[in-house]
Amino acid sequence: MISLKDKTILVTGASSGIGKDSAILFSEIGATVIITARRENELKNTLSLMKENKHQWILCDATKPNEVRELVNKMPAIDGWLHCTGKVFPVPFTSSQDKPINDFVSVNPFSAIYF
């Protein structure tokens, strides 16, 4: 097992899925974890499942550049970043309309670019 003792890791999209599970795992192997997402209740749930009481949660909608900038400016120095912000697109791409496509694109590639 690896150790992340004395490391600070940022996990985006930590309210569910891979981001949530990764944040919990990082806490179990010693990291101080900063978790972020746009859904407050789910983010607090993730925090409640993490080992120890040294972690931090920050609300941030990663599709909004101003919110990302604010988050980055108030964060401590980090040693690593796991970007798990994403949106599932559960219909065939050819049968969808502009809004679902725009939502998908604004979250998946652009959220990483903003960070």
Side-chain angles (χ1 to χ4, degrees), residues 10-40:
L10 170 65
V11 179
T12 58
S15 61
S16 63
I18 295 170
K20 177 181 181 176
D21 291 344
S22 298
I24 294 166
L25 175 63
F26 292 160
S27 75
E28 290 172 353
I29 57 177
T32 297
V33 186
I34 301 168
I35 57 174
T36 184
R38 61 185 172 83
R39 298 179 309 198
E40 183 174 355

Side-chain angles (χ1 to χ4, degrees), residues 35-47:
I35 57 174
T36 184
R38 61 185 172 83
R39 298 179 309 198
E40 183 174 355
N41 289 338
E42 290 85 347
L43 204 53
K44 287 179 178 178
N45 177 261
T46 300
L47 185 68

Side-chain angles (χ1 to χ4, degrees), residues 1-101:
M1 180 65 102
I2 63 168
S3 172
L4 292 177
K5 186 175 189 255
D6 300 323
K7 302 292 181 190
T8 300
I9 308 295
L10 170 65
V11 179
T12 58
S15 61
S16 63
I18 295 170
K20 177 181 181 176
D21 291 344
S22 298
I24 294 166
L25 175 63
F26 292 160
S27 75
E28 290 172 353
I29 57 177
T32 297
V33 186
I34 301 168
I35 57 174
T36 184
R38 61 185 172 83
R39 298 179 309 198
E40 183 174 355
N41 289 338
E42 290 85 347
L43 204 53
K44 287 179 178 178
N45 177 261
T46 300
L47 185 68
S48 74
L49 299 171
M50 295 169 68
K51 185 176 179 182
E52 298 185 33
N53 195 17
K54 61 183 180 179
H55 312 290
Q56 178 181 2
W57 66 273
I58 303 171
L59 274 184
C60 179
D61 184 338
T63 66
K64 297 179 179 174
N66 289 339
E67 287 192 28
V68 173
R69 209 174 353 268
E70 285 179 37
L71 172 92
V72 170
N73 287 335
K74 68 180 173 184
M75 270 188 349
I78 61 172
D79 299 293
W81 169 43
L82 179 64
H83 183 65
C84 293
T85 299
K87 189 169 193 169
V88 176
F89 197 67
V91 296
F93 202 72
T94 56
S95 70
S96 57
Q97 300 183 7
D98 287 343
K99 181 163 178 17
I101 293 170

